[in-house]
Amino acid sequence: MTWLITGGAGYIGAHVARAMTDAGERVLVLDDLSAGVPARLPADVPLVRGSARDADLLKRVCAEHGVTGVVHLAARKQVAQSVAQPTRYYQENVGGLATLLEAAAEAGVERFLFSSSAAVYGNPDVALITEDTPCAPVNPYGETKLAGEWLVRAAGRAHGISTVCLRYFNVAGAAAPELADTGVFNIVPMVFDRLTRDEAPRIFGDDYPTPDGTCVRDYIHVADLAEAHLAAARRLTENATAGDLTVNIGRGEGVSVRELITVIGEVSGDRRPALVEARRPGDAPRAVASAARAAEELGWTARRGVREMVESAWRGWLRHHGG
């Protein structure tokens, strides 16, 4: 088995590459390095610089390296940017996926693991989001992930490719400081950035129908997420004719924004009160995964808690931003 990981030098991708390599899997990374960092990768993992939209490159890579499975993580993922640039998101997230699937089918690849998102659900009014919860994305990013799932399943059926779609919830933390998220797009690094600039964290709305009035989310440690990819890859390896599977990747536990900021204050030593501002349009009061299917189908459950996520992310933040 040789696994091609697209976007494998990115924050999540590098964790997946390391987890799979440590488990003895043969891994090859394709990344255009728009957000990826080559130094994140283990020294023995080959890196091909290029785009998943380059059909000729994909065919050459699959042939030269004997690719037998694909883990597709390369994508645009900023919600606000997707609203402002929807055509770019469809071209790259869906168009790139179509090109990759065509190349994989031509190369005889039989296993395909797709990085999806809880954004496909939109804002369902349920206590726990299961894989059967209706999908109603509320932004172009979520739409491209849902369209991507449709495309993956259709291509799988047409070409005899077994597929798994993993719907991530809120990813945080780092397995090692050098692998930490260097972007400021998710809540944990956004709070770190505010504190580093000597500014108070912000809470957007404290009047939601939740225990403390702030939004409740399901946070998953990126190392747990990487292990979920390994479990999914192993399932595809053991049963290459398994068809298609869609799985939530979360802890099944809700943490409010205020609770998360409290933990960040304890870890960083900066306990200044958060500023409460107006709600942001589209924020759901609660979005927590049901993790039952992941346990049943993949034999995987998250092992790390929120404090470990914050502590590991803080060490990474200090490494990359000083302090």
Side-chain angles (χ1 to χ4, degrees):
M1 281 293 300
T2 298
W3 289 94
L4 171 64
I5 304 179
T6 68
Y11 165 53
I12 295 174
H15 280 88
V16 173
R18 180 173 293 196
M20 293 184 70
T21 301
D22 288 349
E25 299 289 341
R26 185 178 300 169
V27 166
L28 163 73
V29 165
L30 174 73
D31 200 301
D32 65 7
L33 302 185
S34 59
V37 179
R40 286 175 168 150
L41 294 173
D44 57 347
V45 172
L47 169 63
V48 177
R49 183 169 184 175
S51 168
R53 299 172 66 194
D54 187 334
D56 291 337
L57 174 63
L58 290 170
K59 292 173 185 177
R60 185 168 68 251
V61 167
C62 287
E64 291 179 356
H65 294 270
V67 172
T68 51
V70 174
V71 181
H72 182 49
L73 296 106
R76 297 288 171 185
K77 63 176 186 177
Q78 296 179 39
V79 170
Q81 186 181 63
S82 79
V83 174
Q85 302 175 24
T87 54
R88 179 186 184 190
Y89 269 66
Y90 273 87
Q91 287 169 350
E92 298 198 22
N93 289 5
V94 182
L97 174 59
T99 301
L100 176 59
L101 284 164
E102 287 180 353
E106 185 173 317
V109 170
E110 296 181 337
R111 303 160 184 86
F112 198 98
L113 176 53
F114 177 58
S115 164
S116 189
S117 168
V120 300
Y121 294 114
N123 297 328
D125 185 16
V126 294
L128 287 179
I129 298 173
T130 74
E131 292 82 357
D132 297 321
T133 298
C135 292
V138 296
N139 52 64
Y141 167 67
E143 292 167 2
T144 64
K145 286 299 184 180
L146 183 56
E149 289 187 10
W150 295 338
L151 181 55
V152 165
R153 296 187 196 106
R157 290 190 295 270
H159 301 293
I161 302 172
S162 290
T163 65
V164 175
C165 297
L166 300 182
R167 292 174 174 170
Y168 311 169
F169 279 66
N170 298 270
V171 185
E178 63 271 19
L179 298 182
D181 190 0
T182 56
V184 187
F185 306 113
N186 300 315
I187 185 170
V188 173
M190 287 174 68
V191 174
F192 289 166
D193 182 58
R194 297 277 297 182
L195 297 180
T196 300
R197 292 188 284 112
D198 197 30
E199 297 175 1
R202 292 185 294 179
I203 292 175
F204 296 99
D206 65 351
D207 57 350
Y208 287 93
T210 60
D212 66 14
T214 67
C215 294
V216 173
R217 296 290 182 265
D218 191 333
Y219 296 94
I220 179 76
H221 196 298
V222 67
D224 281 325
L225 177 61
E227 291 168 5
H229 282 77
L230 174 62
R234 290 278 169 87
R235 183 186 192 277
L236 288 171
T237 300
E238 292 163 2
N239 188 0
T241 60
D244 60 74
L245 177 67
T246 300
V247 184
N248 287 338
I249 302 298
R251 294 171 59 243
E253 298 179 13
V255 177
S256 75
V257 172
R258 193 177 293 281
E259 289 171 332
L260 181 65
I261 289 176
T262 296
V263 174
I264 292 173
E266 292 169 355
V267 169
S268 67
D270 191 330
R271 295 178 171 84
R272 74 183 73 193
L275 298 175
V276 177
E277 300 185 6
R279 291 187 183 190
R280 294 181 302 190
D283 276 349
R286 177 181 172 87
V288 178
S290 167
R293 184 177 294 181
E296 178 182 352
E297 296 286 352
L298 303 181
W300 171 90
T301 55
R303 299 187 293 116
R304 300 162 180 88
V306 170
R307 179 170 289 273
E308 188 170 351
M309 293 179 216
V310 172
E311 288 175 345
S312 63
W314 182 241
R315 288 191 293 270
W317 180 267
L318 294 179
R319 176 187 176 96
H320 292 289
H321 297 84

